[in-house]
């Protein structure tokens, strides 16, 4: 298969083992992943909450938002298997070097629909941030 710029594609029909090896963006057409951890930590630090904000609760909420939106995209995009993207997420979670950015980069392994999903998630990142900040302000992620 010929890939971008006439080079041979590195993709194969074999199922990828997400538990090992690097997870890097596969296309220059894919948007760069946001720094999810930096956002969560900074949002927790900036919050004016008497008990403080638990960054792990913030990250769990971001995870639920991303997973839900990934599932919605997978259901809407023909040719994209929601089971494969869910399996990717689960395998990436289990890695000792897990970073949320791996979700975005991992989607690019699923061809044009995966790139579209990645780009859509990056485009919606500002909305996700607003939702999380609103929940922080309501005390949803307070310590204790």
């Amino acid at each position: 298969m010929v890939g971008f710029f006439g080079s041979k594609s590195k993709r194969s029909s074999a199922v990828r083992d997400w538990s090992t090896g690097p997870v890097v963006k596969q296309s220059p057409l894919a948007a760069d992943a946001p720094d999810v951890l930096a956002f969560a930590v900074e949002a927790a630090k900036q919050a004016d909450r008497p008990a403080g904000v638990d960054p792990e609760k913030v990250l769990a909420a971001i995870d639920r938002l991303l997973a839900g939106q990934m599932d919605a995209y997978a259901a809407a995009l023909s040719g994209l298997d929601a089971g494969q993207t869910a399996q990717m997420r689960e395998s990436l979670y289990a890695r000792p070097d897990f970073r949320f950015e791996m979700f975005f980069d991992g989607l690019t392994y699923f061809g044009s629909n995966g790139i579209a999903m990645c780009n859509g998630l990056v485009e919606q990142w500002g909305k996700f941030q607003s939702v999380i900040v609103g929940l922080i302000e309501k005390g949803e992620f307070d310590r204790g």
Side-chain angles (χ1 to χ4, degrees):
M1 173 191 281
V2 175
F4 289 109
F5 310 113
S7 63
K8 291 282 185 184
S9 174
K10 295 178 186 174
R11 294 187 187 134
S12 72
S13 60
V15 176
R16 187 179 191 314
D17 177 5
W18 295 102
S19 66
T20 61
V23 178
V24 296
K25 184 167 58 168
Q26 296 295 297
S27 170
L29 300 175
D32 291 332
D35 190 339
V36 176
L37 180 60
F39 163 73
V41 169
E42 188 60 29
K45 284 187 347 188
Q46 296 297 321
D48 187 21
R49 301 296 307 161
V53 175
D54 184 340
E56 287 187 27
K57 289 180 181 178
V58 174
L59 288 170
I62 292 170
D63 177 48
R64 288 190 301 275
L65 276 172
L66 288 174
Q69 196 59 42
M70 287 170 120
D71 291 345
Y73 273 122
L77 292 169
S78 63
L80 195 60
D81 182 349
Q84 285 182 324
T85 57
Q87 188 273 330
M88 174 196 73
R89 282 195 316 263
E90 292 303 315
S91 294
L92 291 174
Y93 285 138
R95 291 174 61 135
D97 63 340
F98 171 73
R99 295 172 348 296
F100 277 96
E101 292 78 7
M102 290 176 163
F103 286 163
F104 296 88
D105 292 340
L107 290 171
T108 67
Y109 287 78
F110 294 99
S112 60
N113 283 334
I115 293 167
M117 185 189 297
C118 172
N119 290 347
L121 290 171
V122 170
E123 186 177 306
Q124 290 184 312
W125 180 242
K127 292 178 187 174
F128 295 159
Q129 288 175 307
S130 295
V131 168
I132 296 298
V133 168
L135 292 170
I136 288 172
E137 290 170 354
K138 291 180 182 178
E140 293 292 323
F141 310 124
D142 286 359
R143 292 187 188 275

